Amino acid sequence: MAEVKELRDGYGRRLNYLRISVTDRCNYRCLYCMPPEGVKCLSHAEILRYEDIKFLCRVFRGLGVEKFRFTGGEPLVRRGLVPFMKELREEMPDVKMALTTNASLLGSCARELAEARIDSLNVSLDTLDAEKFAKVTRVGSIDAVFEGISAAKAAGIENIKLNAVLIRGFNDGEVPVLLSFARREGLLLRLIEFMPLQESIWKKDAFIVGRDLLAALPDGAAWEKSGRCGGSDGPAEYYVNRKTGDRIGIIAAVSNHFCKSCNRLRVSAEGKLRTCLFNPQETPLKEVIRRRDERLLREAIVAAAAEKPRCWDDVNNGDIKMSGIGG
């Protein structure tokens, strides 16, 4: 097999962004993510070890991947994650490292994350109302989230994004409040369409189209598209308010999907490679990772990437569980 230094799919898209789920466990039971009793968790033996993930990152780095985002479940429930990220930073000083978290456990490790020189931090927070927050997470305390955000800022972590999934009848009236909070805290607010991943949870009448998310903004006529923000390589379209200078991102993954420019791959906690969030087809990598067979791993990755679907609506997504594929 010819040496591949730049990973591309069958449609010519360059794939340089990898999301790695380090655990399927979470300390929340969010309504749109899992049932009240939670989901059956993988055993420790089933998930990739940190040395496995490091080997995986080395191989993907050699294939031209420039950014690793660590997700879950809730990634910070896995012991040792932040020390691992510090080790990875020492080995790969030029790679971008990011973390998606609910921020409830962030307070105790924010300083170490800053020492790892994390490039970006995404905080999932759908409401600022304590009662609604307790309802949507079932078990969460919003005060812990606020403490985590404060600790991250105090530690000097920059490029913190606030991700809010908007659900009609639940939090669609909170956009001005969320925007005000983001402005005050120096965060970048991103509004996300409610994605139809689980038929048992998703309801059509709860879905809000991306253009309506934009219409819900204060000073509607003052917002204009500003392209990517801060070197962002993600799915959001960004807008700036001519009057206030506020910025906001809209992730319209359903109504205006970004498949044409998709640059990402996903690896689950048990080492399964998924080329598209909505495609249930996966390539198991764990065994070849644990054998430390770099050649076979590269070949498996390149072959899977070549089969990445053109667009998510070309595949039958079935009933995807967010807790299992890292959000």
Side-chain angles (χ1 to χ4, degrees):
M1 181 180 180
E3 185 178 1
V4 176
K5 293 185 178 180
E6 188 175 88
L7 196 59
R8 289 186 180 271
D9 66 14
Y11 300 94
R13 292 170 296 195
R14 186 181 174 206
L15 308 176
N16 60 357
Y17 179 2
L18 178 67
R19 295 175 63 102
I20 302 173
S21 175
V22 298
T23 180
D24 62 328
R25 298 172 187 261
C26 187
N27 55 339
Y28 286 174
R29 297 289 180 269
C30 291
L31 290 170
Y32 54 76
C33 188
M34 63 177 74
E37 67 276 11
V39 294
K40 184 180 179 181
C41 292
L42 298 167
S43 69
H44 187 68
E46 290 178 283
I47 67 174
L48 294 180
R49 299 184 289 256
Y50 283 128
E51 53 266 35
D52 297 332
I53 298 174
K54 187 179 290 186
F55 176 72
L56 180 71
C57 288
R58 287 192 196 113
V59 173
F60 269 105
R61 188 72 185 97
L63 289 168
V65 169
E66 300 168 343
K67 180 175 180 177
F68 299 112
R69 176 174 295 280
F70 298 103
T71 68
E74 167 50 46
L76 293 178
V77 304
R78 181 166 179 180
R79 192 173 301 174
L81 175 62
V82 181
F84 162 74
M85 292 178 67
K86 291 173 74 173
E87 290 178 11
L88 191 66
R89 170 60 74 201
E90 290 174 6
E91 181 174 330
M92 303 180 190
D94 59 336
V95 80
K96 290 183 180 179
M97 283 200 307
L99 182 73
T100 295
T101 176
N102 61 33
S104 64
L105 303 173
L106 189 57
S108 61
C109 62
R111 188 170 297 279
E112 276 192 288
L113 271 175
E115 291 170 358
R117 304 197 309 280
I118 187 170
D119 293 284
S120 65
L121 185 67
N122 286 3
V123 175
S124 302
L125 182 61
D126 299 326
T127 177
L128 298 178
D129 183 292
E131 189 174 324
K132 284 184 180 180
F133 183 85
K135 179 180 179 181
V136 75
T137 63
R138 293 192 177 103
V139 294
S141 167
I142 200 168
D143 289 337
V145 177
F146 293 152
E147 290 168 10
I149 292 172
S150 295
K153 290 169 52 186
I157 296 176
E158 300 178 348
N159 193 15
I160 303 176
K161 300 181 182 73
L162 191 69
N163 286 350
V165 175
L166 283 199
I167 303 173
R168 191 181 305 281
F170 173 69
N171 62 351
D172 49 319
E174 288 192 61
V175 173
V177 179
L178 286 164
L179 185 60
S180 177
F181 175 78
R183 181 193 310 120
R184 185 173 69 248
E185 298 296 324
L187 315 175
L188 177 59
L189 176 63
R190 305 198 305 177
L191 305 177
I192 305 173
E193 287 184 344
F194 188 20
M195 300 175 73
L197 294 177
Q198 288 175 262
E199 292 181 2
S200 58
I201 294 173
W202 191 80
K203 298 291 186 291
K204 187 175 182 179
D205 58 2
F207 174 71
I208 306 174
V209 179
R211 60 178 177 272
D212 293 335
L213 301 182
L214 192 61
L217 296 175
D219 267 342
W223 292 90
E224 54 189 30
K225 190 176 289 191
S226 64
R228 297 187 183 275
C229 181
S232 172
D233 50 10
E237 288 190 338
Y238 290 96
Y239 298 81
V240 63
N241 188 303
R242 294 191 309 273
K243 295 180 179 178
T244 65
D246 287 334
R247 289 185 180 272
I248 199 166
I250 304 290
I251 301 179
V254 178
S255 66
N256 187 27
H257 44 71
F258 47 89
C259 300
K260 187 177 181 180
S261 60
C262 183
N263 64 340
R264 66 192 58 200
L265 297 168
R266 298 166 181 266
V267 173
S268 68
E270 68 269 47
K272 295 179 180 178
L273 173 64
R274 182 175 290 212
T275 60
C276 173
L277 170 63
F278 285 87
N279 188 359
Q281 183 176 335
E282 297 175 318
T283 302
L285 301 178
K286 183 170 63 178
E287 294 308 314
V288 69
I289 290 172
R290 290 192 170 167
R291 294 206 307 267
R292 298 296 187 267
D293 192 325
E294 181 175 342
R295 181 183 63 81
L296 281 181
L297 182 57
R298 286 173 61 93
E299 289 179 357
I301 293 168
V302 171
E307 298 299 318
K308 182 178 172 72
R310 179 191 64 85
C311 191
W312 69 267
D313 54 9
D314 286 350
V315 299
N316 178 18
N317 67 334
D319 197 33
I320 300 172
K321 293 177 172 56
M322 292 297 286
S323 57
I325 44 86

